[in-house]
Amino acid sequence: MCGIVAYVGGQTAQDILLDGLTRLEYRGYDSAGLAVLGPAGIERARSVGKIARLREAVERKPLGGTTGIGHTRWATHGAPTEDNAHPHVDCTGKIALVHNGIIENHRVLRDELSAEGHEFRSETDSEVLVHLV
Ligand code: GLU
């Protein structure tokens, strides 16, 4: 089952989000990711496997900002890959989204959104939500 954590405040979001995800590890997951809103917009870090790998990724390339979301994924639609890891972003890169659960009609929604010009970057059911928003 996935885990979701979010932070808005005055401190650096990435460390709080990583600590939150670490506390949710017991729920089980196959990949994890963060999206943080910084001065340059939304930046993401995602990785397959343990939170420790995600932590290494943000140590190499920190995400600056005090607002963010984090997710541990238990894949239902799409393989456990970095591209399929949440958070997902819309075509403009201005919206980031994490999701827990299954979207039963995701294929119909994906086809409709693709016909409208939306470009999908993952195999997940969840990505339709961020394009719908
Ligand atoms: N169905 C979504 C996916 O496969 C969410 C899985 C979850 O709840 O972690 O990405």
Side-chain angles (χ1 to χ4, degrees):
M1 191 183 296
C2 86
I4 291 173
V5 60
Y7 175 75
V8 180
Q11 299 176 53
T12 302
Q14 75 168 33
D15 300 331
I16 293 165
L17 296 171
L18 283 168
D19 288 346
L21 292 180
T22 301
R23 291 182 194 198
L24 294 172
E25 279 193 299
Y26 73 93
R27 294 162 67 93
Y29 63 102
D30 52 53
S31 53
L34 305 178
V36 173
L37 178 62
I42 293 173
E43 291 186 302
R44 287 184 297 167
R46 298 179 295 167
S47 68
V48 174
K50 295 291 176 192
I51 303 297
R53 286 187 65 185
L54 183 62
R55 201 178 284 275
E56 287 167 16
V58 298
E59 279 169 7
R60 284 193 301 275
K61 190 171 181 291
L63 306 177
T66 61
T67 298
I69 52 178
H71 185 265
T72 49
R73 177 178 186 236
W74 191 262
T76 64
H77 293 71
T81 63
E82 189 171 317
D83 283 344
N84 289 337
H86 301 215
H88 295 291
V89 293
D90 73 317
C91 296
T92 67
K94 291 182 178 168
I95 303 170
L97 176 142
V98 295
H99 165 240
N100 172 23
I102 291 172
I103 300 164
E104 298 288 357
N105 60 339
H106 73 99
R107 285 193 199 287
V108 174
L109 294 171
R110 180 183 282 252
D111 289 348
E112 287 175 8
L113 290 160
S114 295
E116 290 172 15
H118 290 268
E119 289 182 21
F120 283 78
R121 301 183 200 100
S122 81
E123 302 164 333
T124 66
D125 54 340
S126 306
E127 192 185 348
V128 299
L129 292 176
V130 77
H131 293 285
L132 278 172
V133 172

